Amino acid sequence: MESGVASQIVIIVDPSSTGAAIAKEIERRGYQLVCVPMHGEPTETVGWLAVVESHNLGKMVAKMQSIASKAGAEIVCCMAGSEEGIVLADELATALALPSNGVEPKRRNKSWQQKAVKAAGLRATREVSGTTLAEVASFLAAERYPIIVKPTESAGSDGVKRCVCREAAEAHFELLMRSQHRYGSAGAAVICQEFLTGTEYVVDHVSRHGVHRTVMVWRYDRRPNGSGDFVEFNMLPVPSDAPEVAGLVAYTRGVLDAIGVRHGPTHAEVMLTTEGPCLVEMNCRSHGCSGAWAPLARRLTGGYSQVEAAADCMLDPVAFGALPDVYCEGGQFKAAGQFVQLVSKYEGTIVSVEPLEALRQLRSFVCMHVPSSITPGEPLAITVDIFTAVGFVILCHDDAAVVAADVAAIRSLEDAGPLVDVAARDREID
């Protein structure tokens, strides 16, 4: 343990999803933690020094200072643990004179991001955003279809729809304005943007004082499923010496600079088009999915993932300096593996989840995450986004052929029927 860290406090705003894993890593290093939950109760896997409700910023600052004084400790860091915690974390860090990305409440806004990227001279999408159809009417009339319509502030493909005509775009716009989804915010706008064709990648970084380290590049395998246009089936790690990686990394770092990210973990989604990389969206927090990908990243790199690197970039300048500029320099992963999303093509009422246990017998099986919604008595939905997935499986093995065979086995099971026992197969995808 680093000397003195027990008398240092780290604040995490909304430590949900991977933020909970980062909190646990920081606690493991000996720091004390203060939680600012945005919704519900904080995770019980961390022993919090205190929990401070999110309300008036001035009162929060005073409360944090009081907590530190009583504990005889120093607040050294404030970071976002989730998408919804981004703005408040930067506001709180700035007010406490801690490293932050500055007070820019629009940083989550996907329309604002595109404009900032374009202003920096980088490829950006054609787009417009608004809260009324009148504000986007000219774009909807002139743009080539299909187009993408989605919330300006969201995550996990939530609310994202490919619209093939103006009528469909207007209908989805109105739907989103009536019911901003899981990671939206009250009064948030809707963005309408050009439909990018190409291959979509994830480019994950950690940053410290404007220096960026690439911790992994992944390639999405997205396909239509049910009413979902962009359902993730697999996320495949890309070797750092793959021909597309250098361009993706350089472009993404340009985006980070354009939108003013100097500190912390980030999760970029970038489309590699025939004209080069183009930003889909930048998420100014760690890669999500509750960190289910982290065990695979550790196996691939030989010991670290964005979870550990996120703690390094905020708390340990020596460890951050020791991170490679780009993961696995030389391109050699330590193993082969994939992040596999379990996709349902059926719906019904769950009777038993026991059939999922068979996946643990796969030769390359490492771990599995099944959400709490996948439980007897609950409905099984057809997968349209990460929130309706049956779960995630991490596969990793020294032999890539073993991994490929196990992925094929999972897809065969999905095609054959529900991955869990259901009382009635009310509907199957045609």
Side-chain angles (χ1 to χ4, degrees):
M1 182 188 301
E2 232 179 277
S3 175
V5 300
S7 62
Q8 296 181 346
I9 294 172
V10 174
I11 302 167
I12 301 187
V13 180
D14 200 30
S16 58
S17 189
T18 306
I22 294 173
K24 195 168 184 178
E25 169 64 19
I26 292 172
E27 182 184 49
R28 186 191 66 80
R29 297 185 183 199
Y31 293 85
Q32 300 189 72
L33 288 121
V34 172
C35 172
V36 180
M38 301 293 285
H39 300 287
E41 296 297 320
T43 175
E44 296 179 356
T45 61
V46 174
W48 301 104
L49 172 64
V51 176
V52 177
E53 297 299 325
S54 56
H55 44 67
N56 177 275
L57 183 63
K59 292 181 179 179
M60 292 181 69
V61 170
K63 180 68 173 176
M64 295 297 180
Q65 292 170 336
S66 174
I67 290 168
S69 177
K70 289 178 180 178
E74 174 191 11
I75 302 172
V76 295
C77 170
C78 176
M79 63 189 299
S82 75
E83 182 70 21
E84 288 190 276
I86 292 169
V87 173
L88 180 56
D90 274 334
E91 290 176 342
L92 192 53
T94 301
L96 289 165
L98 300 171
S100 80
N101 292 317
V103 182
E104 177 46 78
K106 295 182 180 179
R107 188 170 284 112
R108 278 190 66 197
N109 187 297
K110 294 168 176 54
S111 180
W112 181 90
Q113 290 177 359
Q114 295 290 345
K115 289 177 175 63
V117 169
K118 184 178 182 180
L122 299 171
R123 170 77 161 92
T125 60
R126 298 184 300 274
E127 55 79 31
V128 68
S129 65
T131 58
T132 67
L133 279 173
E135 294 176 282
V136 301
S138 296
F139 181 87
L140 296 182
E143 183 62 20
R144 296 189 303 271
Y145 284 83
I147 67 169
I148 296 297
V149 179
K150 63 184 180 182
T152 56
E153 301 179 14
S154 63
S157 300
D158 185 34
V160 179
K161 186 173 180 62
R162 175 178 177 270
C163 298
V164 298
C165 63
R166 182 172 180 175
E167 291 74 18
E170 290 178 347
H172 192 58
F173 183 100
E174 295 283 30
L175 171 65
L176 290 176
M177 286 311 305
R178 288 195 305 271
S179 56
Q180 289 282 319
H181 289 73
R182 293 172 180 83
Y183 288 106
S185 58
V190 172
I191 181 173
C192 306
Q193 62 186 156
E194 71 171 291
F195 178 71
L196 296 171
T197 58
T199 304
E200 189 173 0
Y201 291 82
V202 167
V203 188
D204 289 336
H205 277 89
V206 293
S207 304
R208 181 180 175 86
H209 296 297
V211 175
H212 311 301
R213 295 283 186 261
T214 312
V215 292
M216 190 62 68
V217 173
W218 310 85
R219 177 169 60 82
Y220 277 139
D221 173 11
R222 292 192 190 272
R223 313 173 203 169
N225 192 70
S227 63
D229 293 315
F230 308 104
V231 176
E232 180 183 328
F233 277 66
N234 301 297
M235 189 171 67
L236 300 95
V238 182
S240 59
D241 63 350
E244 68 269 33
V245 167
L248 288 166
V249 167
Y251 173 84
T252 304
R253 292 182 180 183
V255 171
L256 291 171
D257 293 338
I259 67 174
V261 173
R262 293 178 50 79
H263 298 279
T266 50
H267 171 64
E269 296 180 343
V270 180
M271 189 72 74
L272 186 55
T273 73
T274 55
E275 301 171 340
C278 183
L279 181 69
V280 175
E281 60 189 53
M282 176 65 75
N283 302 285
C284 303
R285 41 79 180 170
S286 59
H287 191 143
C289 295
S290 300
W293 41 268
L296 172 58
R298 294 183 191 109
R299 288 280 300 272
L300 296 173
T301 62
Y304 74 95
S305 73
Q306 192 186 38
V307 170
E308 293 77 22
D312 291 340
C313 75
M314 299 301 288
L315 298 168
D316 192 335
V318 174
F320 177 79
L323 289 171
D325 182 58
V326 178
Y327 62 98
C328 294
E329 290 177 315
Q332 297 300 310
F333 283 134
K334 308 299 183 184
Q338 289 187 31
F339 174 100
V340 181
Q341 180 163 277
L342 302 178
V343 175
S344 174
K345 300 185 177 183
Y346 301 83
E347 59 184 14
T349 301
I350 300 171
V351 175
S352 170
V353 298
E354 186 64 27
L356 288 173
E357 292 302 305
L359 300 182
R360 299 182 185 278
Q361 304 307 312
L362 296 170
R363 290 179 62 192
S364 61
F365 178 88
V366 174
C367 61
M368 176 167 54
H369 170 75
V370 179
S372 58
S373 58
I374 304 298
T375 191
E378 294 296 317
L380 174 69
I382 292 173
T383 302
V384 296
D385 53 25
I386 66 170
F387 305 105
T388 47
V390 179
F392 311 96
V393 172
I394 298 297
L395 302 178
C396 193
H397 197 276
D398 291 339
D399 187 345
V402 172
V403 175
D406 287 348
V407 173
I410 292 172
R411 300 303 172 215
S412 179
L413 288 170
E414 291 170 342
D415 290 338
L419 291 171
V420 296
D421 287 334
V422 295
R425 297 183 190 179
D426 301 321
R427 185 161 64 90
E428 176 185 353
I429 297 174
D430 293 333

